[in-house]
Amino acid sequence: MQLRVIDTPEEAFDVKPLWQDLYQRAENAHIFLSPAWNLTWLDTYRHLISRLQFLTVFHSNGQMIAVLPLYERKGEPFRLRFTGTGEPEESEVFSEYHDVLVCREHVDTVTAILIEAIKSTGKGLVLNNVKHDALLLRLADEAYPPSLVDNTVAQKRYFINLEDDGLAGTKLRKKAKRYYNLFTRLGGQLHICSDPASLDVFYSVLTDLHRLRWEGEQHNTIFDDVYFNRFHQSLVGQLLKQGTLLLAYAEVGGKPVSAFYGMKSGHSVYFYQGGIDSGFSPNISPGTLIHYLMAEYAAGQGMKGYDFLSSGVKQSYKQSLTEFSEPVYSMTAYASGWQKLVIKALAFASGVARKAGLR
């Protein structure tokens, strides 16, 4: 086994085929660990990057057996972040479930190699949205002294287990039953994008309904950000070609009332973003309806899970649609005591400057 540190975008794109091969073999593969997601992010947000620090492990036969895609953000010389994170709030892509992409049979060997690799960087780590069983948490715990690690439960992940009885007996089924019956009586239809020629139409429906949902509460929506929009316009075409895109909308009387943007990944469907016409009458709760329609679709496709992703809101609407949740962690680790003091001092000064209107 050999560690290889990839520190330029050119090298990262060069190993994309090997990364994709690993992604097809790794048991913990999901969309946010895929080369499509991470390299599209790298291409879109490279202006934020001071230096890449992709920690990869290769077998003697040339196969990539692990990848941990980290980077140093400009203005942050003392710590590393997971790719897909660290953007300004107005263009944040909300990457989730960060971890090392690795084949199960190589976990022990890879763990030892990556712990030493992380130590050798001399930098801390900023991790967001990490599941409780992630190898990444173990690496951080073993690479840094406990006194230099801040670990918190930041959010909750909401999901539905579709195995065995599918949606039967779930909160979502009970809540959506009346809406679905009305949707059916009104001749409603669910449209799922499968043709590249119609991709632009589906994407426009999504963004239009997303703006309709949020424009009354905020001046701009996330799809109005040039970088966020560029990232997803590039990504959806790749995912459609791979057969993993789920871009859909529900239509009543020829009018789209709710949209769904997600991905098929592993044995689960991930809900990433959506939009609704909340003023549609009669009230069929378009948001609940589209979740039910897509969860039913996922169950029919033999998927084992429907993942709402995480939310930091205590009374999230996601909580009303499922009985299942689990904690998602955030972690900040510091390479040394003096780096911790410097980073916290800079963060304090930045906060004071913002309050004073200087930034």
Side-chain angles (χ1 to χ4, degrees):
M1 305 292 180
Q2 182 178 17
L3 175 74
R4 178 180 171 188
V5 180
I6 294 174
D7 58 10
T8 68
E10 292 72 25
E11 288 181 280
F13 282 100
D14 283 345
V15 300
K16 182 178 180 179
L18 297 173
W19 190 345
Q20 183 63 34
D21 177 65
L22 169 62
Y23 185 72
Q24 298 299 325
R25 293 181 286 114
E27 292 85 352
N28 69 332
H30 59 70
I31 181 61
F32 303 110
L33 301 183
S34 71
W37 184 275
N38 286 279
L39 293 179
T40 302
W41 185 91
L42 170 60
D43 192 45
T44 306
Y45 292 91
R46 65 171 66 199
H47 60 285
L48 302 176
I49 299 170
S50 174
R51 184 182 181 184
L52 292 186
Q53 199 83 12
F54 282 17
L55 304 179
T56 64
V57 181
F58 281 82
H59 196 279
S60 57
N61 62 11
Q63 277 190 327
M64 181 186 287
I65 60 171
V67 58
L68 175 56
L70 304 173
Y71 80 101
E72 180 185 309
R73 191 171 71 175
K74 289 180 179 177
E76 288 187 346
F78 301 134
R79 50 187 178 176
L80 300 170
R81 294 177 179 269
F82 207 95
T83 51
T85 67
E87 316 91 338
E89 184 177 357
E90 65 272 12
S91 60
E92 187 177 3
V93 301
F94 307 106
S95 298
E96 305 238 2
Y97 309 158
H98 306 146
D99 203 0
V100 181
L101 182 66
V102 60
C103 292
R104 182 181 299 162
E105 65 270 24
H106 299 301
V107 166
D108 291 339
T109 303
V110 163
T111 298
I113 292 173
L114 291 181
I115 288 172
E116 293 306 312
I118 291 171
K119 288 180 178 179
S120 69
T121 66
K123 301 179 186 296
L125 280 179
V126 179
L127 307 176
N128 300 309
N129 301 321
V130 185
K131 293 168 68 174
H132 68 93
D133 58 351
L135 176 59
L136 191 51
L137 286 182
R138 176 182 165 189
L139 293 181
D141 282 339
E142 296 190 28
Y144 300 95
S147 61
L148 297 179
V149 176
D150 297 331
N151 193 0
T152 60
V153 177
Q155 302 189 88
K156 277 190 174 181
R157 168 195 173 225
Y158 296 93
F159 60 96
I160 296 174
N161 186 347
L162 295 177
E163 294 185 272
D164 301 325
D165 295 331
L167 289 172
T170 62
K171 274 188 180 182
L172 179 59
R173 170 81 176 187
K174 294 173 183 176
K175 192 165 186 176
K177 185 177 180 180
R178 179 171 63 87
Y179 304 137
Y180 177 72
N181 289 340
L182 180 56
F183 174 74
T184 303
R185 288 201 301 272
L186 292 172
Q189 293 183 306
L190 175 67
H191 303 280
I192 299 177
C193 184
S194 59
D195 181 5
S198 62
L199 182 57
D200 287 345
V201 172
F202 276 80
Y203 191 80
S204 292
V205 170
L206 167 71
T207 56
D208 288 347
L209 285 173
H210 185 83
R211 292 188 181 99
L212 189 61
R213 166 64 180 88
W214 292 108
E215 65 183 359
E217 299 183 24
Q218 54 196 52
H219 183 66
N220 290 317
T221 74
I222 191 67
F223 283 102
D224 291 316
D225 180 80
V226 61
Y227 293 107
F228 182 91
N229 202 33
R230 184 185 302 166
F231 171 81
H232 286 289
Q233 284 185 319
S234 176
L235 182 68
V236 292
Q238 298 177 61
L239 298 182
L240 181 61
K241 187 176 181 180
Q242 294 173 4
T244 58
L245 177 69
L246 278 178
L247 187 57
Y249 65 88
E251 179 185 80
V252 178
K255 180 182 179 181
V257 298
S258 54
F260 176 101
Y261 172 26
M263 307 89 181
K264 291 182 286 186
S265 188
H267 297 291
S268 293
V269 164
Y270 292 79
F271 166 66
Y272 177 77
Q273 194 56 268
I276 60 171
D277 179 0
S278 55
F280 177 76
S281 181
N283 181 12
I284 59 172
S285 186
T288 300
L289 175 68
I290 195 69
H291 279 298
Y292 177 75
L293 293 172
M294 296 309 296
E296 187 179 56
Y297 168 83
Q301 294 288 306
M303 294 291 181
K304 297 180 180 179
Y306 184 87
D307 199 319
F308 293 95
L309 301 183
S310 58
S311 175
V313 181
K314 289 185 179 179
Q315 295 300 321
S316 168
Y317 77 90
K318 298 174 183 179
Q319 187 176 358
S320 71
L321 299 180
T322 179
E323 304 87 339
F324 303 103
S325 67
E326 64 180 21
V328 178
Y329 295 87
S330 291
M331 173 186 283
T332 301
Y334 304 90
S336 66
W338 71 264
Q339 285 189 10
K340 182 176 182 178
L341 289 174
V342 169
I343 290 170
K344 287 187 173 289
L346 291 173
F348 177 78
S350 178
V352 170
R354 281 196 299 272
K355 288 182 179 179
L358 299 176
R359 294 187 63 181

